[in-house]
Structure formats: structure tokens, C-alpha cells
Amino acid sequence: MGDGKITRRRFLWMSSLSAAGAILGACGTGKEKPPEVSGFRFDYDPMRSYPYRGWESLYDKQWTWDKVARSTHSANCTGSCSWKVYVKDGVMLREEQASDYPRIGKDLPDYNPRGCQKGACFVEYVYGAQRLRFPLIRTGKRGEGKWRRASWDEALELVAGRLLENVYRYGPDTNTFFSVIPAMSPVSFCAGSRLAHYLGGVFLSFYDWYCDLPPGEPLTWGVQTEACECADWFNSKMIVFWGSNVTQTRIPDAHFAFEARYNGAKIVGISPDFNSSCTHADLYLGIAPGTDADLALGVARILVEENLYDGPYIREQTDLPLLVVEKTRRFLRESDLEEDGNDSVFYFFDEKEGDVRKAPGSMGSPVRSIGLSGAVPALTGRYVVSGRKGEKITAVPVFEMLRKILNRYPLKEVARRTGLSPRDIVAFARDMGTRKPAMIIHGAGTNHWFHNDLINRAIMLLVALTGNVGKNGGGFNHYVGQERIWPEEGFKKLAFPEGGKKQRFQNTTLWTYVHSSNRDEHRYNGKRIEEYIEESVAKGWMPLYPRNRKQKPRSLIVWRANYLNQAKGNEKILPSLWSDLDLIVNVNYRMDTTALYSDVVLPASSYYEKTDLNTTDCHSFIHPFSKVLDPLFESRTDWDIFSALAKKIEEIALRRKLAAYRDEEFGWTRDFTTFHRQWSGDGKIGTDEAAADFILANSEETKGMTFAGLQARPLRFVNTDPHVWNSDVEEGIAYTPFKHQVEKKKPWRTLVGRQQFYIDHSWFLDLGEELPVSKEQVTDPYPLYWNTPHGRWSIHSTWRDNRYMLRLQRGMPIAYLNPQDAAARGIADNDWIRIHNHIGFCVVRAKILPGEPRGRVTMYHGWEKFLGFQQGGWQSLTYIKIKPTQLIGKYGHVNFRLNYWGPTGNNRDVKVEVEKAKI
Amino acid sequence: MAKTQYAMVMDLNKCLGCQTCTVACKKLWTDLDGMDYMYWNNVETRPGKGYPAGWTTAGGGFAGGQPIPGEIPPLEKYGVPFEYDYSQRLFEGKGKPVMPHVDPSFAPNWEEDVGENDRGENFYFYLPRICNHCTHPACLEACPRKAIYKREEDGLVLIDQERCRGYRQCVRACPYKKIYMNEVAGVSQKCIFCYPRLAKGTPNACAKQCPGRLRFVGLLGDPESPVHKLVRRYKVALPLLPGKGTGPNVYYVPPFNPPRRGSAGKGLLEDPRIPWKTLTDLFGTRVKEVAERLEAELKIAQSGGKSEVLQLLIGRDDSVRYRIPAPAGPGR
Amino acid sequence: MRCAKSLTIPVFLLALALPARADFLLEAGRNTPLLMNRTPALFLTDPAGPKADPKAHARAQVDGKTLRVTLSWEDPTEDAVAGAKRAAYGGDAIYKKPTARTDLFGDAAALMLPAEKGGRAPGIMMGDPAREVRILLWRAGTGVETLRGRGRGTVEKARNASGLSAVQARNGSRRQVTFTVEDFDPELPVSFAIWEGASGDRNGYKWYSPWYLVRP
């Protein structure tokens, strides 16, 4: 072989030359033969075979285990992924996706494997330095990190004693409880909610506070949030990622979108930054931050102009044909036309019969169906009717009002405001109008703006106009926050056994605003938000506790959440609300920021050491948490912790011979000497497994299931409770909501019985928001938007301090800057920077990102305050702003209900400046 | 030469950059002493330095049949794995922010999502990498003890952990820098293609645990395997840096990015966001023809038709994505 | 035929063809300077050239059946591999020992002697198929290993490591390793090898001596 390649033969030859020493040095007596030149025993060619393969058992042995058990994670990620955890020599080694979700339908890709990189390293938390191992009581200042170890008895005695004292001295509504997202671990949730319930404490909301609730859904559809399960994405032919970065935030489900693409869907990515989801899109719209309503209304205008809307659908399923009185801009109601007329009966003009008719299916209508029976409600025209007193009333369909609004969004103007090219906008609009079914996957990118309700409604308008809501592969699908507890009825009975009407519920945004020194100086229609708040509370639209306005909350118990680290207006909360609280208790498995700043920390078992359930919007299965190992160290399951606390309350009440407390708000006489018996449902729900079985047994969705039966594999829900949900679970078909309305003509759960785009509440009319419009951001005089999206490296604050994750990033909090914005400020990659505004500041490092738009700085959210920040935290720049429209109540279907309706904790409108920092 | 050859195909249009494959491999194989900095599977953003930094220009492989000198990357180019003293802040009241024990200046995913800017438009994609279990491995050639071999029954390239003495000729010779020195154990280590899992009929951890479902595993010579179909029949999967001369057996379906601003509807020929040079540098000259064919298939699917190759790439379940036979050959 | 760039066989190596002469003797108690050779580059891709002569000396001592020989040489840089360093934080099972350097080779020294008496001396390159050698290898950072070899590429850990030990010390810029062989027969020749970590020495990239006889 003369080509110079190293061959075995040449190798030997050359080695033999160097082994000349072997020849030369080997001569001894001279009598024996010299040794073989090739002192190599390479009588094999490693390209073809190898004689020493016994060592391969090394890696075989590495992949062995003594025990494997099924569990999952309770982080509020919407994944709800079933995992197998492997134990060797009594130590949890690693986890791997169970990957055994049953197939829904032959053509649909399956859900496997389900789980992400974060779930794949949760074991680190089980044994890591941040794991809480025994009860701790603070010795230094809050947040200092100085503790003394306490016994369970001492810690529980302290907490129970104070809780009871607060009830008798200051009122039960001074004890406050914060735990989030029942769906991710309802048994753990209910352990504490039952305690709050029987104690008369205030239970705080989370879905609205986190700004994950899309207010457009309760307003337009009368629901909390209803989305299709992610397998349904595969049925779509047009998928729009709007403010939603699924490759980062829907990791277990993102594949359905890209597989749908191969199956014929077009993907559109709408985001100010060229994010990872947009890299796989067919069209990328790099929209200017906060201008999403402009784009949506511009697209709606094209749909209407080019006749791309679904006429029959909107006539039947939406309020677009309902008549609105021109003068008052309020719906035409029966009470306008008839003596003793109903306030909740509405009208349309029937083109077929040529007259004005009552619309069936509204809240006041005796007809419990929205079926039109052949009527053809008009979308255009002006109609004159005779009022109650014989006066002439001119009314037009909502659709006419909408067209007037849409006229304000011509293509050129929309292109200017959004920074998009007209060609791209038109292409997008035409695809929205013609590709069916079409869906919009909506996320926090749009939902965290102050005017999120307008943005939601404008975007929802597009899928309503095109008839895509209530159809497989279509709809407005919002997955931010794992708020869907499928077996809801069973859960509610377990969580608040005496009923929701006997429980104090509180919107957290309002509670935090009022009780901290957060102040929003903006004016809304010339009025300060405090005025709106007072009116809302006085009218009973929004609750506010403690009821005695001179009283401040005295205690806060947090479990399954990181309230402090995540709270908007952090800098204002710490010196006011947080320092005013007399007792702060945290139940947790790791020392997160809230725990660090608490008075008493009770060690909870990790996700792999307890019994619980897990459900999500993203799929239609239920599966369990199991005790891979019993609770480690001195930790206990949430259920056992609250059980012990309940016992302690009972013990103290008996010891102090406490008289029963008369809770006037509910007419409830609270006897704490039998507290544990009440808490445990008269002893019937003593264990966490009993609690899990209770939920399963008391819900339509899980009829026939037991906790034990969930161990083999995730099980699909058998059906849905029609009181709660709006579609059936159908075999072989992915779940999508609102089929009851679209197929069975059941009324929508709104005032008008239809998808309601027109909200004629007086506040909406005053603010000009009766129909979706676009509005300027409510912001501050700084140059850069402060953007804090959800990303792939954490679920909120969970996994932020996990080494495996930190090693695959830059090890500490960073903020992303556009190259030109950075250059203008003399900032280079990895420089220390100071991000500040009038509220506060934080010091972190910079990462220069070409895909970041100008005029914005991004920090993916949830970084723990104690990790990496030289000063401040990621919420040091924000403050609480409440939108007046989200304070309304007693408007048909729009009423305060925990996590269903209430002011959202928006944060996107915040602006900051950035400069190089000296470290 | 192996009688049959395991291969993997990765569809870069499904990669989420989530690094689940990285963590899956890390937790299963490289979570022991001396292995902290190693990622047998890594995912890097391209364009970018990659991991280890600058590996594409660190030598190794062959040119014109001749072995090319290569580097042993220093630890800084892999990234010093961050360690944290949580206790001082959380439990001991010492108050210092919890910081990496070294000043961060590089890490395996340092340039995540950065990419490049071309004519005012950002572009990037993710590139997951494992050992390519090459047909003509430079590492095997370089080992003076002949401690690296190619399994005859499936072509996997393994380093004998008992006979390796840590000389690192293999680390220098690998053009992909996919062999890692374990200083504590004193041996070189690398991706083993999860052969213990394959022996039990379970796919590689990086493949089975990938939520993007972008990996296909099988024997190249098996006409029923998805890798054979994608590489040999449909010819839509390309090797990485084919010019290095080692004959890698991990193949990639090349990535698309959407059209540039104002170019809705324009195809890859007209005005691509990713410059062709970026792709040809990585996948060779065939990438242009492959990308255009894939674009045509996508048009068929998005116009209501069905594309055979795209239906395969959907990979509806395990049985489509993995075809792992019962182990043949002499075994051990 | 193309081969390694610098492949010159030093003329003095020819001297090794002769039987062991008085020049290759270690007089007991005397600090004898050693003749150290350098392996030439093998592969096209190998770094070139020998480095500065380490000025190696050996002092041997025989007490009954025990041989103690101290090898010393110029070692300007102390190069060690991490070996047994502890992880930075935490004592829990999840904390593992890190790799501190990937591209570092450590200083090392070895004593080689035939496994059995009789016959000719084994091939100087780790023995040969007919004549096995025992190698006592000291490595900075990881300590002592005993190996067996039957020629290049065949070295493996010895199952029976008793009767062999080594300990190292520093004396200014010189490193010293003292090898102890407990069942030593003075008929067995010994040979030495030195690896300079800073130069990337490992495997065959090393300094090695011819066979020496120990004169008690």
C-alpha cells in the first residue's frame, strides 16, 4: 500500500525500527536466539475482531438496579409526565421516562417518551445540599439563612399556637394560605386547603396572580381555560405559536406540532425574538413587543374584507349577530322591550323570517340550546324596534360594531405598528382564513401584558371568525400553567368539603397590592386604580381580606409554591407586607427563596417520596406519584404534615380549653377541639392514599379507578363531568373543548350563551373595551422592555439551582441583549451589568443575542434570589399594576371565582435601563 | 469492517434544543468520578464554537488518507463544570450569593440560541452529537495498544476500559473530539451507543428519552430499518463533516429556518435565512440537493398530499423510530 | 515508503548490541549517572523531537534479598494527574471527584526487571513474548502500579503485586523515586524509564535506559 495510510504492516515495521533497542538490548549470553522483532501480541485486527471483550460487562453492570418505581413531578410545567425512578443500594440513582402512555388513535403519534431534561435530573434535589432534612426555626433575620434545628413537636406547636391565636385575637381571615395548581399534586394541595377551610383561613389564588390566566377566556367563553390536549395538534393544518415558545415551554408536547407539519400543517411563529420555536416555523413574524392586538385586528380585518370568515358558524356560535343599541352601546335586552323583561335575554334579526327574534340559550332564555332551528341571524344592517315605552330604538348587530373597530386597522397602519412586512401579514391572514382546521397556541409572551384581556380577545376572534373553535385541530389553546384538574368535582369535595361558599377565597394580586407598598401611579380614564378597587370591593365584585380594613394579614403558610421569589413588586413587598406578617411558614423539600425568608420551615418529602395524583391540560391521562423510597431524613409528606398540624391544633385547643369560635361570615361555629377529626373527614380520609382514592371515586372522569390501579400505566379519563367540561372524552379521538356547544348546540357558559366578544359592562364601555381593541402599553420612561419569559431551564424557580441544569447554561442568571443595544452601552458578552428602573435593580451578567429585538432586555424567569445575583432579583424591576376591567363582577358569567376570574399580575409593560456594572 | 453497522439518524427539524438527551446520557453513564466535564452526548447551537470549543478546527481525522495531527483540548475548552456552595447561604447564614466556584467563561452550551446574523437576520439550529462509531475510525488507528476496536456484529467502536492506559492518542485523532479523558480513572472514555440497552432490545438512552422524537436507530444494512430508508433509500440524511475521512455512522436530516422578513412563501433557493455555506461546511456539498428535495416534500404535504419520507420522519411511535434486532454474533 | 519524520537511530544505541559491560553497572552505594535514550516519533501525527536530558542517576542498595534503588532526575515542573482529589463541596453520594485537567500528563518513573531468572535479557521495550518483565511504575498523583509485560502494547496490571513498592520525594529541582524489590536476585538486570509530564510524555514517549546489572 503505497498511499501512505497507516496499515498494520507498516505500523509493525516502524515499531520494529524503534524497537531496534529491543534487538540491540536483548543480547545476553549470545547463545539464545534473538527475540521476535514484533514484540507485539497483536495477532488480531481491531477493525475486524477483538479477543478481550470480557471487560464489556463493566457497562452492563452499570445499567442495573435493585428497584424501580413510578412517580412524577409537581412543578407546574403542564408536562404531567410519568417517570420510572431507579434505586440501587438504597439510593435513588436516576430516572427515565416511563414512556408507556397508551395510544389514543392509530394515526396520531403517541405521547411517548414524555418528560424533559429537568425531570431527568430531579434526583439531585432528593440528596442535594439544598434539600430540607429537618424542621428549622429562624434565628437570624428573615432571609439571612440562620436557623436552629427543631423537633417536629416544637415546630408544630409554634405554628398551631400562633394560628389559633390569630383566629381568636384578630379574626380567622388574618391567617392566609398559599398553594398553587392542584392538578400537579391534588392530595398535597388538599392537605393544606382542608386545614385552611376548617380554620376559616383565607385561601389565595395563583392562576391570575401568576398572570397565567388568560382573562379573555372567562370573558369570551365563560371558562377558566380550556385547551385541546396536545395530541390534537397533529390534527391541525395551521398552527400558530403566538407568544408561546413551545420548544422551550412544552417540551414533552412540542413534537406534535413539528410532526403535524410533516403531516401537512403550516407553522407560524409570532414573537419579538427569533426564538427556538420560530426556527422550525414556515413563517416567522418578528413582531414589535406588545402589538399583538394590532396584528390580530389587522388580520381580522383582512378576514372580513376578503370574506374568509365562516358565516354560518359565527351566526350560531358567537354574539356577532346579537343586536346592540346604537345610542347606549348596550345589548338590546328583553327588559328594554318588555315590562318585567329579562335582563339576560337578547335579540338578533332573523333574515329568513325578516324580523327581530329572541336569541335562544342565553342566561335568561328558557331555551337551553343555541340551535337556530333554521333562523339566519343577520350580521349587518340597522334595525329599529319599539321600546317598552313605545320609543324607537335603533340597534345594530355586534358584527357592525366590530367592522367599525376593524376599520381602524388597515394593513399599512398595522405593518407600521407591528414592524412586520405587509406581505407577511397578508400571507398569514390568508392562511388563517383558508387552512382548516387552524389553531393558535397562545402563551405568556402575550398574556403577561397589562392589556392581556384585549390581546386574548383579539386573537380569539380570529379562530372564532374562521369557525375553528370547538373542532379537532382548531381553537385557541393556552397552556400556561397546569391549572386543569380533570377530576374536578372529586377534588373540590376533598379540598373544601363544606363547599366553596363556606371558604374565604382571595385574589392574590389584589391582596398583595393592598397589603404592600406597591403603588401604581398611572391613571385609567383619569382615575387611580385605588378608586376602582374600592368600588369593586364595595360592590362585592372582588373580595378583600382581612375584612376589617384596619387589620393586616398576620400569617402566611406557603407550600408547593415559591411566593416570594416569584412575586411582582418584590422590592415593595419585602419591607411592607412581608415584614408586617407575624408568622411565615414554608412546607418544602428544598430551601428556595420563600423558605429562606420564612420563620418556620417544615421539611416535606420530595416528589419521589409521596403518594399523589397528576393531571394536565396537555393530555387526557392520569397517573400517580409513588413512594420510591419512604420520606428521607426527617421529612414527611404534605399530607402527613398537615395532618400533624391539625392534630396539634386540636391538642392545643383541648389544652387551653378553647371555646368554639363563632365565624359570623358563614354562620359557622368552629370547634377546634375536634379539629383533626374534621380535617380527616371524620377519620375517613386519614392517609394520602385514601385521599387519592376519594378524588378518583368522586369524579366522573375517574369512575372505577383506584390509586393502586394507576401503577401499571397512565389511564385515560373515562369521560368528563358535563357540569364542568364542554366536551366528552371520545375513544380514539384526541380531546378538544367546546364540542358540546359546536356539535350539540349546548349554550356557552356566558351571559349571552355564545362566544361573547361584546362585553357591555359599564366599565368596559367607559374604557372603550366593549369589543377587543389594541391599546398602548402601560409603561415607564425607560428605553428597554423588561422581558421575563418562561424558558426551558426551569419550571419557574424549580431547577434554577440544580447543578446539571446550571452546567448546561452559563452557571448563573444572565440577561440577553440585542448586539446593537449592547454596543451602544459598551457592553460585551459576559460583562457584569446593572439593570434598573425607579423600582429597583439587579446585577447579573450579559449575553449578547442576535435574535433579541432592539429595545428589549430578556431574562428567563424564576432565578432564585440567592443564586448569582450580586444585588436584587429578577422581580426587582416590577411592580403590581391592576387593570380595572379585571375587577368587575356580577356581570352574567363574570364573577369572582378562585383562579377563574380576578385581576392578573401582569409584568411585561415594565421598562428598564441597562448599563455596565462595576463588580 | 463490521458485517452490519448500527447507525443513527437525527432529524434537525425536530430538535428542541432541550438537552434531554444530554442529561439522559449524563445520568446513565457519565455521573461517576472524573466524568463531570464529559458529555458523551452534547447539543450545541450552530453556528457557534461547539463543545469542546473550536472542535471543528482541532485537527484529527484523515486527509488524503493521511492522519491529521489533532489537539487534546484543555478542560477550559470543554468548560469547567460549575460547583456551588449552597450551604453557606441557605443554612449557615454567611450571606454570599451562591456562585459558580470558577468565574464562568465557557460551558458546553455557552452559546445557546446565539447563532449568527446574516443580512440583518438571525439564524441558528441545534446540532446534537454523539460518537459517530465510524466505519474507518481515526481513534482505532491511533491507539498504540490497539485497545480500541470495532465490534464485528454491529460496528460499534469501543475503548477497552481495562487495557486503556490513558495515552490519549485517540483523543487527538478523533476529528469530532468525542473521546474524553477521565483523569481520575486514568482512561479515555466515550459513547458506547448504549450497547447494554441494545442487548436487551431497548434503544439508546439519548434516542429513547428524546422528547423531540428526532432520532432513528437501526442497522444500516437492514432494509426495514428507518436508518436504511432515510440514508440509503430516500437519501435525506447526511453525515457530519464527511471530509474528515472517517466514515461517520450518525446522519442528519438538514435543518430549515423560516424565510427572511418580507419573504413569506419564498423557498430555500430564492432567499434562504441560513446561508448555504453554513450548511455545506457541516454536511458537505450534497446538502443543497437534499434540502431542496425535502422542501418539495413539505410542499406536497402542506398542499393536502402525503409525503412518504415525511410520514416516516413523523415517527409515530417506537416501532417506527427504532429497529433493534436481537444480538447476533459471538458476543463476549 | 513514507514513514515517521524523524527516525534516526542514535549511533550509540548500537553499543547496546554488546553484552552487558562494566559501563552498565550499578555499584551498590554509588550514585551512578544513567544513559537515557529517547523513543523516536512513531506516527506522522506525533509531536517531534527529544527534550532536555533529564540527567538521571541511580543509587542501588542490596540487603539480603531486598533491592532498594533510588532513581533521581531533573524535573523542573511538578506534573501530577488529579487522581484522588475530593470534590469541592458536599459529602453526599451525588458529589463526584472532578477531572481537573484533560490535557495533562503526569510525571512518572519505572523500574523494570525480568520476571524470572535465566536466559538472555528481555527486550528493552517492555519485554518480549518469550521473556516477561515486571514493571514497578510510580505515577505522580496516582501512586504505584505493578505491571507485567511481554512486549510493546501488552502491558497489563499484575495480579500479584507483593514485594514491590515505591516512594517519591523531591530534592530541589530533582525528583527521587525509591523502588524496593523484596525478592531480588542480583543476576536480574534492571532498567529505568522516566516520563516528563510537561512534555506530554506517556506510553512510549519517554526516556529509557538500557539494562543495568547491580553489583552489590
Side-chain angles (χ1 to χ4, degrees), chain A residues 66-133:
Chain A
D66 303 326
K67 176 183 175 190
V68 57
R70 182 188 294 269
S71 199
T72 177
H73 308 109
S74 169
N76 187 16
C77 56
T78 74
S80 181
C81 309
S82 196
W83 286 79
K84 295 228 169 100
V85 184
Y86 296 88
V87 180
K88 206 168 181 177
D89 300 327
V91 175
M92 294 189 216
L93 267 193
R94 63 179 276 270
E95 51 267 274
E96 180 166 342
Q97 297 99 323
S99 205
D100 55 3
Y101 287 79
R103 199 68 176 272
I104 290 182
K106 198 164 156 308
D107 189 54
L108 285 179
D110 68 11
Y111 273 107
N112 302 312
R114 198 172 174 81
C116 70
Q117 87 282 37
K118 301 174 287 296
C121 61
F122 181 78
V123 168
E124 157 114 349
Y125 276 140
V126 176
Y127 299 104
Q130 62 275 80
R131 174 74 197 262
L132 292 168
R133 291 159 158 83

Side-chain angles (χ1 to χ4, degrees), chain A residues 207 213-214 217-218 222-226 483-484 488 898-900:
Chain A
Y207 192 43
L213 168 75
E217 289 210 35
V223 299
Q224 182 186 34
T225 295
E226 289 205 26
E483 41 60 42
R484 180 165 190 176
E488 186 168 299
L898 193 78
N899 297 314
Y900 272 59

Side-chain angles (χ1 to χ4, degrees), chain A residues 3-6 42 44 46-50 52-53 55-56 58-60 62-63 93-94 96-97 99 103 107 109-110 112-113 115-117 120-121 129-130 132 136 143-147 234 247-248 251 254-255 258-259 261-266 274-276 278-284 419-421 423-424 427 435 591 596 792-793 801 803-812 829-830 832 845 847 849-851 866-870, chain B residues 1 11-20 23 27-29 31-32 39-40 65-66 81-84 86 89-93 97-100 103-104 107-110 112-114 117 122-124 126 135-137 140-141 144-153 158-163 192 195-197 200 208-213 256-259 261-264 266 273 298 301-302 306 310-311 313-314 316-317 321 332:
Chain A
D3 61 353
K5 268 172 66 162
I6 301 294
F42 296 143
Y44 61 90
M47 286 281 278
R48 286 178 168 73
S49 73
Y50 190 70
Y52 311 113
R53 290 182 56 180
W55 77 271
E56 286 179 20
L58 168 75
Y59 288 121
D60 290 320
Q62 210 176 316
W63 191 51
L93 267 193
R94 63 179 276 270
E96 180 166 342
Q97 297 99 323
S99 205
R103 199 68 176 272
D107 189 54
D110 68 11
N112 302 312
C116 70
Q117 87 282 37
C121 61
Q130 62 275 80
L132 292 168
L136 296 171
E144 212 181 340
K146 290 204 171 115
W147 310 92
F234 190 76
T247 59
Q248 290 208 31
I251 291 175
H255 69 91
F258 306 122
E259 289 160 3
R261 188 180 185 208
Y262 287 163
N263 204 40
K266 266 199 183 170
F274 185 57
N275 67 37
S276 29
C278 295
T279 63
H280 295 324
D282 294 289
L283 177 65
Y284 165 58
L420 298 172
S421 115
R423 177 200 169 114
D424 291 348
R435 299 186 69 82
M591 181 70 86
L596 187 60
R792 59 166 66 98
W793 290 113
D801 55 338
R803 290 177 312 149
Y804 293 102
M805 301 291 90
L806 288 164
R807 287 173 178 177
L808 291 172
Q809 303 166 70
R810 290 192 174 190
M812 53 169 287
D829 192 61
N830 211 29
W832 285 102
R845 286 182 116 125
K847 179 167 173 175
L849 199 72
F866 58 76
L867 196 135
F869 291 97
Q870 302 308 299
Chain B
M1 204 69 79
D11 182 356
L12 296 182
N13 295 296
K14 291 175 84 175
C15 185
L16 313 178
C18 67
Q19 309 271 0
T20 304
V23 177
K27 291 291 314 196
L28 180 49
W29 300 121
D31 210 19
L32 305 173
Y39 293 90
W40 293 355
Q66 292 302 317
F82 308 125
E83 289 285 0
Y84 299 85
Y86 301 98
R89 176 72 183 93
L90 300 178
F91 297 101
E92 295 164 24
V98 177
M99 289 288 287
D103 194 52
N109 197 20
W110 188 256
E112 179 182 63
D113 295 355
V114 172
N117 227 314
N122 179 224
F123 65 93
Y124 62 93
Y126 302 114
T135 299
H136 187 187
L140 183 155
E141 297 270 347
R145 286 173 57 79
K146 291 294 155 246
I148 302 184
Y149 60 99
K150 200 163 167 65
R151 298 202 327 179
E152 58 194 293
E153 71 269 28
L158 298 178
I159 303 175
D160 184 334
Q161 293 293 288
E162 275 175 20
R163 290 193 60 240
I192 57 172
Y195 67 78
R197 290 172 64 107
K200 294 247 160 46
K208 181 103 167 83
Q209 295 190 236
C210 166
R213 296 147 50 106
F256 294 3
N257 265 192
R261 182 186 176 284
S263 298
K266 286 195 190 160
R273 181 183 284 262
L298 196 57
Q302 289 173 340
K306 253 190 164 48
L310 294 184
Q311 287 293 314
L313 286 171
I314 288 174
R316 280 171 170 77
D317 61 34
R321 302 198 302 278
R332 301 166 239 116

Side-chain angles (χ1 to χ4, degrees), chain C residues 67-91:
Chain C
L67 166 72
R68 240 180 294 273
V69 53
T70 299
L71 173 71
S72 64
W73 72 97
E74 276 301 314
D75 182 21
T77 55
E78 274 206 71
D79 310 298
V81 289
K85 274 216 275 281
R86 275 308 294 169
Y89 303 106

Side-chain angles (χ1 to χ4, degrees), chain A residues 641-870:
Chain A
I641 292 176
F642 283 102
S643 175
L645 187 57
K647 257 236 157 58
K648 210 27 128 156
I649 289 176
E650 184 177 288
E651 185 193 305
I652 294 179
L654 283 165
R655 199 194 308 147
R656 298 188 192 163
K657 299 194 175 59
L658 291 178
Y661 180 87
R662 178 73 186 162
D663 191 335
E664 286 303 343
E665 190 176 334
F666 304 116
W668 185 345
T669 306
R670 298 182 187 274
D671 179 6
F672 295 113
T673 61
T674 58
F675 193 76
H676 186 266
R677 183 141 57 84
Q678 298 164 45
W679 177 88
S680 65
D682 210 32
K684 291 201 198 76
I685 314 177
T687 66
D688 37 17
E689 186 161 338
D693 280 328
F694 180 93
I695 295 176
L696 298 172
N698 284 283
S699 309
E700 282 296 320
E701 293 78 7
T702 49
K703 269 246 141 46
M705 294 185 196
T706 61
F707 182 78
L710 294 177
Q711 291 297 331
R713 69 178 55 76
L715 292 179
R716 193 150 197 241
F717 295 112
V718 296
N719 209 336
T720 53
D721 187 329
H723 295 114
V724 183
W725 307 114
N726 299 294
S727 288
D728 298 329
V729 173
E730 300 166 87
E731 200 182 307
I733 299 180
Y735 178 91
T736 195
F738 307 125
K739 280 191 173 175
H740 290 167
Q741 286 75 12
V742 170
E743 290 174 11
K744 297 189 183 154
K745 317 300 179 195
K746 237 183 105 171
W748 290 77
R749 296 167 195 266
T750 57
L751 173 65
V752 299
R754 292 155 177 73
Q755 302 184 47
Q756 186 166 344
F757 289 95
Y758 200 88
I759 309 286
D760 69 344
H761 184 283
S762 60
W763 285 14
F764 277 66
L765 291 167
D766 288 342
L767 291 161
E769 298 188 19
E770 63 274 17
L771 276 171
V773 293
S774 70
K775 283 197 168 174
E776 288 289 314
Q777 297 83 21
V778 178
T779 190
D780 315 290
Y782 291 89
L784 305 166
Y785 279 109
W786 178 234
N787 182 45
T788 53
H790 300 150
R792 59 166 66 98
W793 290 113
S794 71
I795 299 302
H796 314 297
S797 67
T798 312
W799 279 283
R800 269 304 183 202
D801 55 338
N802 178 302
R803 290 177 312 149
Y804 293 102
M805 301 291 90
L806 288 164
R807 287 173 178 177
L808 291 172
Q809 303 166 70
R810 290 192 174 190
M812 53 169 287
I814 51 174
Y816 295 82
L817 279 167
N818 170 282
Q820 289 165 286
D821 282 342
R825 292 163 171 81
I827 296 171
D829 192 61
N830 211 29
D831 275 352
W832 285 102
I833 53 174
R834 184 172 178 273
I835 304 167
H836 65 96
N837 63 11
H838 59 298
I839 299 292
F841 69 97
C842 68
V843 177
V844 292
R845 286 182 116 125
K847 179 167 173 175
I848 311 300
L849 199 72
E852 183 72 12
R854 291 211 67 174
R856 196 177 83 165
V857 53
T858 291
M859 175 182 290
Y860 281 93
H861 95 144
W863 288 100
E864 291 281 8
K865 244 169 110 83
F866 58 76
L867 196 135
F869 291 97
Q870 302 308 299

Side-chain angles (χ1 to χ4, degrees), chain A residues 11 14 17 24-25 32 39 803, chain C residues 7 16-17 42-43 119-120 151:
Chain A
F11 183 72
M14 293 195 309
L17 286 176
L24 302 172
E32 278 178 65
R803 290 177 312 149
Chain C
L7 191 57
L16 300 175
L42 263 190
F43 291 99
R120 57 167 176 78

Side-chain angles (χ1 to χ4, degrees), chain C residues 24-175:
Chain C
F24 297 121
L25 286 177
L26 292 180
E27 296 265 1
R30 235 180 92 199
N31 205 22
T32 313
L34 297 173
L35 178 69
M36 300 302 280
N37 309 305
R38 183 88 201 160
T39 35
L42 263 190
F43 291 99
L44 283 173
T45 54
D46 286 345
K51 314 292 195 291
D53 190 292
K55 301 197 184 62
H57 287 71
R59 182 203 300 275
Q61 207 89 43
V62 181
D63 288 318
K65 297 223 87 193
T66 302
L67 166 72
R68 240 180 294 273
V69 53
T70 299
L71 173 71
S72 64
W73 72 97
E74 276 301 314
D75 182 21
T77 55
E78 274 206 71
D79 310 298
V81 289
K85 274 216 275 281
R86 275 308 294 169
Y89 303 106
D92 285 295
I94 64 168
Y95 292 91
K96 303 293 189 308
K97 296 174 195 166
T99 281
R101 293 285 302 270
T102 53
D103 55 346
L104 179 73
F105 294 90
D107 295 332
L111 170 77
M112 179 166 71
L113 67 166
E116 275 152 15
K117 257 171 55 165
R120 57 167 176 78
I124 198 67
M125 288 295 157
M126 264 63 67
D128 59 72
R131 301 285 285 131
E132 188 178 281
V133 294
R134 279 194 298 170
I135 298 165
L136 189 53
L137 174 68
W138 168 85
R139 291 207 284 204
T142 49
V144 185
E145 256 186 302
T146 48
L147 310 163
R148 289 189 172 275
R150 284 183 176 277
R152 286 199 75 159
T154 67
V155 162
E156 59 189 16
K157 286 198 178 47
R159 257 151 278 279
N160 179 14
S162 65
L164 299 164
S165 63
V167 69
Q168 76 100 25
R170 270 195 94 78
N171 186 2
S173 66
R174 289 180 74 77
R175 206 194 271 275

